[in-house]
Amino acid sequence: MRIGIVGGGQLGRMLALAAVPMGHEVSVLAQRDDEPACAVARPFLGAFDDEAVLARFVEHLDVVTYEFENIPQRTLRWLAARVPVRPGLRSLEVAADRASEKALFRELGIDAAPARLVDDPRSLEDAVLALGLPAILKTRRLGYDGKGQRVLRAPGDVAGAFEALGAVPSILEGFVPFTRELSILGVRAIDGAIATYPLVQNEHRDAILLRTDAPALGVSEALAARARAAITALLGALDHVGVLALELFEHDGRLLANEIAPRVHNSGHFSIEGAETSQFEAHVRAIVGDPIGSTALRRRSTMVNLVGALPPREALLEIPGAHLHLYGKTPRPGRKLGHVTIEGEDEAAHGEAVRRVLALVRGTGTA
Ligand code: AMP
């Protein structure tokens, strides 16, 4: 099939790298030809609202997917009028707005951190009274990797906080003193069949994912079942086709939903080596109408993001079980440049390999 990906980032690159071996042709809609996906797929360059570019992009496509959330609704609508867009517009609409995400969690009975809508300084004060401090003010749209949010710890932090985030529609969320962060990925086929990956554990540095451990250890079967039920309910409610990610906090023996991403997700990169079918392959299979494949883990694996600067390549590749993925980006502080997945059955050897990778990452001075 001829697949179009809206967005030229690393997720698009890894989707293309999964699609080509299965015989698909891949095009990407990107802004610049040095974006990661452009090196491995046919690029169509231009602004997302440039109809001439969209028309050339869509001309020979059988299906369109997307690799990030902040795509103008008008662009996807324009595309959807001409070719199937999977996942559909509803998934994108809900995931792009923290308030509609929360509403969907509530509708489906999925526990989440308490939150209030904030539309002006007055409603922020009301929300602080209702939820108490500490709390986190988050813009409803365009937030990622900790951008568009601000922790309010003391009463003195409240005045000016709404304006500091740009005076845009926001939500105030109660601060969750979580024990750890987890996520679960699910994938749904066109015929409604669903498969889920095991819960994984995530660790952030400066609000950017540093490390994912798959599977998350020490999760009770009851908690795992609740996570599976939540992602299954979300996939169905959104009539989603493809991969959907759900980020969770574990707190006090419970799981609280944080947010969803209607796409392949950084916490699923481990699956390239660590699962029978990677999240990228599973997404491609789903959107073209193929069977999803097995999402079972092949072996324990840990993914470490390479952010801001790259450790010495040879030193990384010498480490047993380490697999290097680079996105072809120019290093810049806070930029995700690649990741390393370390896999192996032996617990001690795996732990040692992960320590060596983390030491090299720390050596770059960025983590
Ligand atoms: P988000 O953009 O919502 O995924 O938030 C980025 C990171 O901020 C999360 O991965 C958490 O580490 C932290 N965070 C977000 N919301 C909360 C919350 N309600 N309580 C505590 N930490 C949070």
Side-chain angles (χ1 to χ4, degrees), residues 98 102 113-114 135-136 138 143-147 149 151 173-178 181 204 207-208 247 249 258-259:
R98 291 188 189 274
K102 295 271 184 203
I136 305 193
K138 301 180 175 181
Y144 69 99
D145 286 349
K147 295 183 177 67
Q149 55 179 273
V151 181
E173 209 175 274
F175 190 87
V176 181
F178 53 77
E181 294 188 78
H204 293 80
I208 299 177
E247 295 179 22
F249 300 128
N258 176 26
E259 60 177 356

Side-chain angles (χ1 to χ4, degrees), residues 123-138:
S123 51
L124 174 58
E125 281 172 28
D126 293 344
V128 169
L129 278 179
L131 299 177
L133 294 177
I136 305 193
L137 185 63
K138 301 180 175 181

